[in-house]
Amino acid sequence: MTMFARRAALLAGFLFLYAPIALLVVYSFNASRLVTVWGGFSTRWYGALLANEQMLASAATSLKVAALSAALSTVLALMAAVALERFGRFGGRTLFVGALFAPIVMPEIVLGLSLLLVFVALDLPRGFWTVVAAHTTFSLGFATVAIRARLATLDRSLEEAAQDLGATPLAAFAHVAVPQLLPAIAGAYAMAFILSLDDLVIASFTSGPGSTTLPMRIYSQVRLGVSPEINAASTLLLAFGSLALGALAFVSWRRGEK
Amino acid sequence: MVERARRLGAGRRAILAAPYLWLVAFFLVPLALVFKISLSRSAIAQPPYVPTFDFGEGLSAILDKARTFGLDAYRGLFADPLYFEAYLTSLALAGLATAIAVAIAYPIALAIARSDKRLRPVLIGLAVAPFWTSFLIRVYAWIMILKDEGLFNRALMALGIIDAPLPILATNAAVTIGMVYSYLPFVVLPIYAALEAQDESLREAAADLGAAPLATFLTVTLPLSATGVVAGALLMFIPAVGEFVIPDLLGGSDTMMIGRVMWNDFFENRDWPAASAGAIVLIALLVGPIVWIERRRT
């Protein structure tokens, strides 16, 4: 690849990926009610957004669901990663691996539908906790991939040394392996958090009245047409996601520097 | 040689049990239930289906009912042209979008893999970052761009290329664009990984033996990156076939992809057995090619 072709491919590729997002952000500061006609700079839609109580309540629900499901998912993922990396071939491993990673590629609609059927069959009222359980299942595979990759590169001899000095296997893992795994654990948490915050389909199937998430709220408004207020909500969501991603990149970069 | 499956100690069993039981309760049992309900009959009730068999009724009752197994939902699936067309449309649109995405992703991945070593993590990070922003919002952005009075049409009209806006939104073309855009990071990453792992000396050897750059690319680089291309294509194709948000927001009322039909059967027609049968056929359609590729590889 010549230097010119390389630069052209990168420029065109990044333009395609980022231009639509940039447009959305720019037009969220549009004074005009007509989304695609520029009427001057204004932050009025952010004001309208902050006065929209339904939107704020949904945002709060989404953040709570994301925080909880990501925490559950990360803990279970750490256990799953340890089992896959350290336990060798145990009985039922194939089924475990299949169930763990299938949700990564499975259409979300199938997962959402199947969970709804279980909640209905068990007569569980759908609401906040059913969405948390559904999102934990959905993000578990992603979180396990992130932690397992790091766990595979750890030097086992450090833990063995701790055990030779009298530590139990669990203590050796907690004091030697876990600190080294922290960036991967943080990454897994952030990944699960973002996946939950972003999900529309699974939440639509598993939530009940009073637990409408932000994507569900945005979706029902988007179906009625584009609006500057949705652009403002999108921009805030993008800013939030970028901050999380940026913090994560910074942490892993600092780790790499040391 | 196959290592014998080991029996785990009590501590290890406890660690494995937590995620395992979670997956059984929230993934395997639900899937089994989808299968069971796909064999049920739909009914105007709460929940809207009559179970074909119930494990509470004892073995003889189950065997009795098993003889009259309700394949109604599946029969309905094949008799109803809507479902058949929806599967075809889903496979065709997802296939087309995947092919276009591979064609766009390959040069990007190659350009990143051939960049300065220190720049590579930054560039691949930038290429993948949009995947971590809201999917719904990225699809929404394209409504703004593609609608009749949207930015694309206004730009073309301002340039004098067209006189009247092109109707792109609410067509299959918009759905294809939306899928390519949304899943592109998923395709770039595995192709980049395959290209980055290639040994540079192979290309040097080809050049030393007189191969032109294009010949080197076609006989060395491209075949060696085939696994990355296949992985990227599958990672996109499988979720794209069952996609709901993109056809719903960018497609027209006639863009009937299977995810949307299932959604409607579930929430609007309240025909849960039909939606469940639709899900089972979808899983079968998607697992088939994966197993086939795995077999061929080994």
Side-chain angles (χ1 to χ4, degrees):
Chain A
M1 227 179 183
T2 64
M3 177 88 116
F4 175 76
R6 198 167 67 216
R7 291 212 170 135
L10 285 178
L11 191 68
F14 286 137
L15 199 65
F16 178 60
L17 282 172
Y18 284 97
I21 299 175
L23 279 174
L24 201 79
V25 173
V26 168
Y27 276 89
S28 74
F29 293 104
N30 187 0
S32 167
R33 177 167 284 281
L34 295 167
V35 174
T36 48
V37 179
W38 184 251
F41 179 87
S42 162
T43 54
R44 65 184 274 209
W45 303 112
Y46 289 89
L49 194 66
L50 291 178
N52 184 337
E53 278 175 24
Q54 279 193 324
M55 199 65 104
L56 292 181
S58 300
T61 305
S62 270
L63 289 176
K64 272 186 260 174
V65 168
L68 267 170
S69 70
L72 263 172
S73 179
T74 308
V75 171
L76 291 172
L78 180 61
M79 292 171 156
V82 168
L84 290 179
E85 274 304 311
R86 299 278 174 92
F87 292 2
R89 293 179 64 92
F90 51 82
R93 186 184 161 112
T94 310
L95 184 68
F96 182 62
V97 170
L100 193 57
F101 298 126
I104 294 180
V105 283
M106 200 150 98
E108 287 168 38
I109 199 157
V110 176
L111 191 60
L113 191 147
S114 66
L115 282 162
L116 169 64
L117 293 177
V118 163
F119 296 144
V120 170
L122 295 176
D123 223 1
L124 276 176
R126 275 173 286 145
F128 181 80
W129 289 103
T130 48
V131 185
V132 170
H135 280 180
T136 304
T137 312
F138 172 52
S139 59
L140 186 51
F142 289 92
T144 307
V145 171
I147 296 178
R148 187 187 179 188
R150 181 86 183 98
L151 186 60
T153 64
L154 289 193
D155 186 355
R156 286 293 289 278
S157 59
L158 291 173
E159 273 174 79
E160 280 157 14
Q163 287 186 40
D164 287 346
L165 295 170
T168 63
L170 193 63
F173 184 80
H175 293 291
V176 179
V178 169
Q180 298 179 75
L181 285 174
L182 273 183
I185 290 172
Y189 185 87
M191 215 184 242
F193 190 93
I194 293 171
L195 284 171
S196 167
L197 200 61
D198 186 28
D199 166 69
L200 166 73
V201 175
I202 295 171
S204 298
F205 277 98
T206 53
S207 79
S211 60
T212 304
T213 63
L214 192 58
M216 289 169 69
R217 183 77 64 198
I218 292 177
Y219 171 71
S220 65
Q221 289 210 7
V222 166
R223 290 203 72 177
L224 303 174
V226 287
S227 84
E229 209 179 312
I230 293 297
N231 283 8
S234 306
T235 303
L236 288 181
L237 214 56
L238 287 174
F240 196 82
S242 316
L243 272 179
L245 211 61
L248 202 67
F250 183 71
V251 167
S252 62
W253 173 71
R254 281 281 297 272
R255 288 260 159 180
E257 290 279 285
K258 273 182 206 164
Chain B
M1 190 192 81
V2 179
E3 197 186 333
R4 261 185 68 92
R6 236 184 291 164
R7 280 194 65 83
L8 301 174
R12 294 188 152 197
R13 249 184 305 187
I15 290 171
L16 177 62
Y20 214 139
L21 291 178
W22 183 280
L23 288 170
V24 168
F26 292 107
F27 185 72
L28 296 173
V29 168
L31 273 190
L33 195 61
V34 173
F35 187 62
K36 179 181 174 237
I37 288 174
S38 75
L39 298 172
S40 307
R41 280 162 232 279
S42 69
I44 300 170
Q46 186 63 264
Y49 59 89
V50 179
T52 300
F53 55 96
D54 202 325
F55 294 109
E57 294 173 3
L59 192 64
S60 61
I62 290 173
L63 285 175
D64 258 359
K65 285 194 174 169
R67 255 173 248 132
T68 60
F69 241 162
L71 288 172
D72 287 8
Y74 289 92
R75 248 176 252 128
L77 224 58
F78 289 104
D80 188 351
L82 178 68
Y83 260 94
F84 189 70
E85 265 174 45
Y87 281 116
L88 281 187
T89 309
S90 305
L91 292 173
L93 285 183
L96 174 67
T98 304
I100 297 172
V102 168
I104 296 178
Y106 203 97
I108 300 176
L110 188 62
I112 297 175
R114 299 283 158 81
S115 300
D116 187 326
K117 206 166 183 165
R118 282 161 305 169
L119 265 179
R120 280 181 219 163
V122 179
L123 291 174
I124 195 66
L126 277 174
V128 177
F131 179 72
W132 296 112
T133 66
S134 175
F135 190 81
L136 180 62
I137 287 168
R138 282 184 293 140
V139 175
Y140 165 77
W142 282 93
I143 302 180
M144 257 174 61
I145 296 169
L146 295 178
K147 64 182 189 158
D148 279 1
E149 64 278 23
L151 300 162
F152 181 69
N153 273 316
R154 278 159 31 113
L156 287 186
M157 276 156 78
L159 291 171
I161 298 172
I162 52 171
D163 298 324
L166 293 172
I168 305 175
L169 189 64
T171 64
N172 288 352
V175 175
T176 310
I177 294 173
M179 288 205 282
V180 170
Y181 178 72
S182 303
Y183 286 104
L184 193 62
F186 244 33
V187 186
V188 172
L189 195 58
I191 298 180
Y192 166 76
L195 286 170
E196 218 259 336
Q198 276 179 23
D199 193 343
E200 207 179 322
S201 56
L202 291 174
R203 277 183 290 130
E204 281 165 14
D208 287 348
L209 295 171
L214 185 66
T216 308
F217 175 77
L218 289 176
T219 55
V220 178
T221 308
L222 192 60
L224 282 176
S225 62
T227 51
V229 172
V230 171
L234 275 181
L235 273 179
M236 167 171 176
F237 180 76
I238 293 171
V241 171
E243 185 55 52
F244 165 74
V245 177
I246 297 172
D248 193 64
L249 291 182
L250 300 181
S253 52
D254 59 332
T255 309
M256 269 303 160
M257 284 183 68
I258 190 63
R260 213 172 161 197
V261 174
M262 277 161 57
W263 179 285
N264 288 343
D265 263 341
F266 219 83
F267 288 116
E268 276 151 42
N269 307 338
R270 296 189 61 78
D271 189 346
W272 290 14
S276 301
I280 295 292
V281 173
L282 180 61
I283 293 173
L285 268 180
L286 295 177
V287 168
I290 298 179
V291 171
W292 182 71
I293 285 172
E294 278 298 320
R295 283 265 169 86
R296 271 195 43 169
R297 208 185 279 171
T298 49

